[in-house]
Amino acid sequence: MLNWLIEPLSFEFMRGAIITAILLGILCAVVGNYLIVQRMGILGDVIAHAVLPGLAIAFFLGIDIFLGAFICGTLSTFVIAWIQSQSRIKVDVAMALVFSGFLALGIMLVTLLKSKLDLHEFLFGDILSVTTDDVKRTVIITAVVLVLIKLFYKELLFYTFDPLGAQASGLPVNLIHFALNGAITLTIVASMQTVGVVLVVSLLIGPGITAYLLVKELHQMMQLGAVIGVFSSITGMYISYYLNVPSGAAIVLVVSILFLLALFFSPTQGIFTRPEMTHRSARLFSQFKSQNPK
């Protein structure tokens, strides 16, 4: 058993991949909770696909593609906010439009600029190819985002649950809004190499929504979600190593299984274990016993 756990760690690429996966498991779980609470889970998917034009342009210009991805992802959130503020269009419709528009622009730019960007890696990730610089960048992004969330937790909590009240109390809600979107974009950019844009939303939402079924407070959701994210990342990496399957898909599959377990067996909200279901089962059993006496 010990050799089974230690063997993957003998390879440097696996050590870097596991460290990156652990950091992103924490970061995605914490940041994703704000999307869950605001019922904006689809925003993660929008930003994840909106970074493609930035990747194509950055690759063509020979600059850091992650910088291009961050700029373009952030721009997409500004466009959504602008459409919403300048019209009667609802935010979900604006997000759908931006999603398709930015994705189409990215595909066109990849073709027109004759970019050699690996779309397969962009879509599905390749955590085993992370370099030392990638690990350092992930450490910095994780540390910066988590420290800022810790410092401004009360303001973020107030804004998340009552944006109108936060605005009335004098909080800079626009700044908070775009700061949160910036944190989400950074998280997605950092996660692209791990699971790719197709699966990144699952890593953002899965651990948090699983924790939501088990605890009540936001800070508890963040803590438990981080634990779930770390466990899923490590387990997924080991599954990937021993079964020779894509790492990103393995990580997300573990996240999905844990969510289903919580959905079915959560002590308070589980389909099979919530109080009303337990009482109903007991009542049905009692009726059965009365109708079928020994």
Side-chain angles (χ1 to χ4, degrees):
M1 180 64 179
L2 187 59
N3 289 335
W4 187 86
L5 292 172
I6 293 176
E7 181 183 330
L9 301 179
S10 62
F11 299 97
E12 184 177 355
F13 73 91
M14 280 297 294
R15 292 196 296 271
I18 289 175
I19 291 171
T20 303
I22 290 172
L23 291 170
L24 293 176
I26 297 171
L27 180 62
C28 288
V30 172
V31 173
N33 274 289
Y34 287 106
L35 288 174
I36 294 169
V37 172
Q38 295 184 83
R39 300 180 181 180
M40 296 281 285
I42 190 63
L43 179 62
D45 204 21
V46 174
I47 297 174
H49 289 80
V51 301
L52 181 56
L55 288 172
I57 294 172
F59 194 90
F60 177 76
L61 297 177
I63 61 177
D64 191 336
I65 61 172
F66 291 97
L67 176 61
F70 175 74
I71 292 173
C72 204
T74 303
L75 177 63
S76 71
T77 65
F78 277 96
V79 173
I80 292 170
W82 179 76
I83 292 174
Q84 189 181 9
S85 66
Q86 298 298 316
S87 67
R88 295 184 298 166
I89 296 175
K90 300 295 183 182
V91 65
D92 57 333
V93 179
M95 287 192 293
L97 180 63
V98 171
F99 173 97
S100 56
F102 271 69
L103 182 59
L105 176 62
I107 294 172
M108 284 190 62
L109 288 175
V110 169
T111 303
L112 292 175
L113 300 178
K114 296 179 172 58
S115 174
K116 296 181 180 180
L117 186 68
D118 188 348
L119 285 179
H120 184 274
E121 184 175 328
F122 165 73
L123 291 173
F124 301 105
D126 184 14
I127 193 173
L128 298 181
S129 67
V130 296
T131 64
T132 302
D133 290 339
D134 294 327
V135 176
K136 290 178 180 177
R137 176 167 45 219
T138 305
V139 170
I140 293 171
I141 291 175
T142 303
V144 169
V145 172
L146 294 183
V147 167
L148 290 176
I149 288 176
K150 176 65 176 178
L151 290 175
F152 299 101
Y153 177 76
K154 291 182 179 179
E155 290 81 1
L156 290 170
L157 184 66
F158 191 9
Y159 167 78
T160 301
F161 284 98
D162 187 7
L164 294 178
Q167 185 175 18
S169 68
L171 286 178
V173 292
N174 289 330
L175 179 60
I176 294 174
H177 172 75
F178 288 115
L180 266 178
N181 287 339
I184 294 166
T185 305
L186 273 176
T187 301
I188 290 171
V189 169
S191 303
M192 282 193 309
Q193 197 167 11
T194 307
V195 294
V197 299
V198 171
L199 302 175
V200 69
V201 177
S202 297
L203 197 58
L204 266 174
I205 302 300
I209 203 66
T210 303
Y212 175 77
L213 294 173
L214 300 170
V215 295
K216 296 181 179 180
E217 301 293 334
L218 180 59
H219 69 278
Q220 295 174 334
M221 286 174 58
M222 289 181 174
Q223 293 166 357
L224 181 57
V227 172
I228 293 170
V230 169
F231 175 81
S232 301
S233 298
I234 295 175
T235 304
M237 289 303 303
Y238 274 86
I239 292 173
S240 171
Y241 177 82
Y242 283 107
L243 298 184
N244 193 28
V245 296
S247 306
I251 292 171
V252 172
L253 184 60
V254 175
V255 171
S256 301
I257 291 172
L258 293 177
F259 167 73
L260 288 175
L261 289 174
L263 179 65
F264 290 137
F265 302 110
S266 168
T268 57
Q269 302 185 62
I271 293 174
F272 298 141
T273 55
R274 54 192 175 209
E276 60 267 28
M277 183 62 68
T278 304
H279 294 156
R280 181 183 177 187
S281 299
R283 187 171 61 252
L284 291 174
F285 180 74
S286 177
Q287 291 175 356
F288 175 79
K289 291 289 289 184
S290 64
Q291 293 171 5
N292 299 274
K294 290 184 179 180

